[in-house]
Amino acid sequence: MVPSPEVLPYHRAIVEHLRSAEPALCKWFSSTQKREKEADAVRLDLLKSTYRLDSTSQPKVYELAAEAAGAMQLLCSVTLYQSQSGGELNAGLAYLPNEAHIIFSGPLIDVLSESEVRAVLAHELGHFKLLAAEAGEYLTANDLLRALAVDAGAGPAAAESARLFNLWTEIYADRWACHVSDNPGVAIAALLKTSTGLAEVNAESYLRQAEEIFTRGSERTEHISHPEPYIRARALKLWSERGDEAQTEIERMIEGGLSLRRLDLLGQKHAADLTRRFLKALLAPPWFQTESVLAHAGRFFPDFAMAAEPPDGDALKKDIAAGDESLHDYLCYLLLDFLTADRELGDPAIAAAILLARNTGIDERFAELVHKELGLGKKAFAKIDRDAEGILARTMVAHAS
C-alpha cells in the first residue's frame, strides 16, 4: 500500500520562516478582501479561456474526479474544464476556497487510460489539498513567494525560494497521484504520456533510464516550476518504496547541496549557521581568541560568543561535504581572513586553520589559496602542515603556563 502523503519539510520550513520574518505581508496576503477580488478574476478568466465540462457529457471523468477526491478526503466541489487554446497534453488547477477547478489541455482525456486520468486528477487535487491545508497558510506562502520573486528589491533568494516551493509542490502532488493509484507505475505512466504526448509508454523502462542517468553522476534539477520527468519518476519510486527514509536522497535531486551561487531564504539561514559553527571550531583554542580576532568575528555576527564546547566536528564535516565548490571556496577564504585578523598569532593560527581544513575536507583547496593569497611558500606551508598538531599542542601548553 502506497503511504498517504504529508506536507513536505520544505513547505513547513518556509511557512515558519515567512511567518516569523514577514508577519505583516503574511497578514495582507491572507486577507479576505484580497482573496475575494482574486476569486472574481479567476472565475472570469475560466469563463473566457475554457470550455466547462459538465457531468452529463463527461460522466466518467467526473466519476474519476469524485473517486480521487474521496480517496484524498476532500470535501470541495470539483469542476472540470477543457482549455480553448489547444496545445500539448497538460492539466492545471485554478484554486478557490472549497472549489477545485481543473483545466485539461490537449486531448489528455482521450490519450490517457482511466486509471491514468484519475492519477492526473489526484495530482491536481494534491495542489488543492496543499493550498487549503492549515487554514490556507501554504496558499499565503505560495502567493507571497510569487510576489517576492518578481520584486527586484526582494533579492534573488526570494526568487529561489519561490522556485523550490514550486518544485516541492510538484513532488507532493505526484505523491497523491501515486497514493490514489496505489501504483507508482500508473502515476509515472500518466506523467510520461503528458510530457511526451505518446499514447503508449513503459514506466519500468523509463525508471531504468532514470537510474542510468544517476549512475553517471549526481543530478540536481535545473527547472523553474517542475522537476525534470526523470527526477519526478525516480522520486516517486524512492518514496513509494522507502517512504520518509528517501527524503535525503530526494532533497539532493531537488535542492542539491548548499551553494552560495543559488541561496534561497532558508539557505541563507543555513549558510549563516554553518559560518558561525565553522568560526567556533576555528577559534576553539583559547589562545586564538584575541581581542582583534573576536572583534573580527563580531563583524560577521554582532552577538558572536564562544560556546563552552566546540561544535560537532562530524556534523560540520558532513554539512560542508554536502555543499559545492562555492561553499568550499568561501570557507577557505574565511580561514584566510581570520589568519590576517591578528598577524601576531603567526604559525599556530596557520596550523589551526590547516587542521580545520583537513578535518572538514577542504584542505587541498585551502593549500592552493594560502600560496596564492598569502604568498606563503610551499616549503614553509609544508613545514607547518607536517607539524600542525605538534604546533598546536606546544601552543596550548605555552598558553596554559
Side-chain angles (χ1 to χ4, degrees):
M1 179 69 181
V2 175
S4 179
E6 296 182 359
V7 175
L8 297 173
Y10 190 87
H11 293 128
R12 292 195 295 268
I14 203 71
V15 163
E16 183 61 33
H17 172 80
L18 292 174
R19 188 190 298 138
S20 173
E22 303 288 354
L25 284 176
C26 286
K27 182 178 180 180
W28 186 82
F29 272 88
S30 63
S31 65
T32 302
Q33 182 179 5
K34 176 181 180 296
R35 295 283 179 233
E36 289 176 350
K37 184 182 295 186
E38 288 176 342
D40 291 340
V42 168
R43 289 192 176 94
L44 180 59
D45 183 64
L46 286 170
L47 289 173
K48 289 180 175 180
S49 62
T50 70
Y51 168 71
R52 185 167 56 207
L53 305 176
D54 59 58
S55 56
T56 302
S57 61
Q58 294 288 346
K60 189 60 186 179
V61 183
Y62 270 92
E63 181 184 327
L64 295 172
E67 290 175 4
M72 299 170 68
Q73 298 182 329
L74 288 173
L75 300 177
C76 61
S77 65
V78 180
T79 309
L80 306 177
Y81 304 81
Q82 181 68 39
S83 171
Q84 295 178 9
S85 61
E88 299 175 349
L89 300 184
N90 206 350
L93 173 79
Y95 175 90
L96 292 176
N98 301 312
E99 301 175 20
H101 298 267
I102 299 176
I103 306 100
F104 298 120
S105 298
L108 185 144
I109 300 173
D110 298 325
V111 173
L112 272 61
S113 69
E114 288 185 2
S115 61
E116 291 161 355
V117 170
R118 183 171 54 229
V120 169
L121 290 164
H123 175 98
E124 298 308 325
L125 289 173
H127 283 269
F128 180 92
K129 194 172 181 73
L130 176 68
L131 298 177
E134 302 296 334
E137 283 196 336
Y138 300 103
L139 173 63
T140 297
N142 179 70
D143 291 351
L144 175 51
L145 287 174
R146 286 186 177 183
L148 291 175
V150 296
D151 181 355
E160 180 64 10
S161 291
R163 171 181 171 272
L164 290 176
F165 193 93
N166 288 338
L167 297 176
W168 279 116
T169 298
E170 293 303 322
I171 295 296
Y172 173 79
D174 281 345
R175 292 181 181 184
W176 278 112
C178 187
H179 173 76
V180 169
S181 303
D182 196 25
N183 183 345
V186 171
I188 293 170
L191 167 66
L192 287 175
K193 287 185 178 181
T194 303
S195 60
T196 66
L198 294 173
E200 296 295 332
V201 296
N202 186 312
E204 288 299 321
S205 174
Y206 189 68
L207 284 171
R208 290 192 295 272
Q209 180 179 331
E211 287 298 334
E212 185 178 344
I213 294 171
F214 282 89
T215 62
R216 296 171 181 264
S218 177
E219 287 289 322
R220 167 184 172 171
T221 180
E222 298 295 331
H223 283 197
I224 302 299
S225 61
H226 292 62
E228 293 85 343
Y230 69 87
I231 287 179
R232 292 172 64 181
R234 186 169 187 261
L236 263 185
K237 179 177 183 290
L238 290 171
W239 175 74
S240 65
E241 293 176 348
R242 294 160 46 190
D244 290 342
E245 293 180 1
Q247 182 63 21
T248 300
E249 178 64 21
I250 296 172
E251 284 179 356
R252 278 196 287 268
M253 295 191 294
I254 302 301
E255 299 179 33
L258 184 62
S259 174
L260 301 190
R261 297 191 187 96
R262 195 161 69 180
L263 286 176
D264 70 318
L265 296 171
L266 300 181
Q268 286 182 330
K269 293 175 65 176
H270 185 189
D273 173 68
L274 184 60
T275 300
R276 189 186 293 265
R277 289 157 53 208
F278 191 75
L279 289 181
K280 288 182 177 181
L282 175 64
L283 306 183
W287 54 263
F288 212 147
Q289 299 168 30
T290 66
E291 183 178 348
S292 297
V293 169
L294 292 179
H296 194 56
R299 297 179 66 182
F300 286 82
F301 303 103
D303 62 343
F304 185 83
M306 292 301 298
E309 296 291 334
D312 184 335
D314 290 338
L316 186 61
K317 181 178 180 179
K318 181 179 179 182
D319 285 349
I320 292 172
D324 69 3
E325 67 277 6
S326 68
L327 175 66
H328 299 168
D329 275 5
Y330 162 70
L331 294 175
C332 288
Y333 277 105
L334 196 63
L335 290 176
L336 296 177
D337 196 33
F338 275 81
L339 291 184
T340 60
D342 188 341
R343 293 281 189 176
E344 293 183 4
L345 289 173
D347 289 357
I350 298 175
I354 286 173
L355 287 179
L356 180 56
R358 188 185 301 166
N359 292 337
T360 52
I362 59 173
D363 47 323
E364 290 187 8
R365 181 57 173 156
F366 177 64
E368 292 176 6
L369 292 175
V370 166
H371 304 318
K372 176 183 176 183
E373 302 294 341
L374 296 188
L376 185 63
K378 291 186 178 181
K379 289 184 178 179
F381 179 83
K383 182 179 178 181
I384 300 172
D385 189 22
R386 286 193 301 269
D387 192 32
E389 293 181 355
I391 292 172
L392 289 191
R394 291 190 294 274
T395 305
M396 289 292 288
V397 170
H399 185 269
S401 61

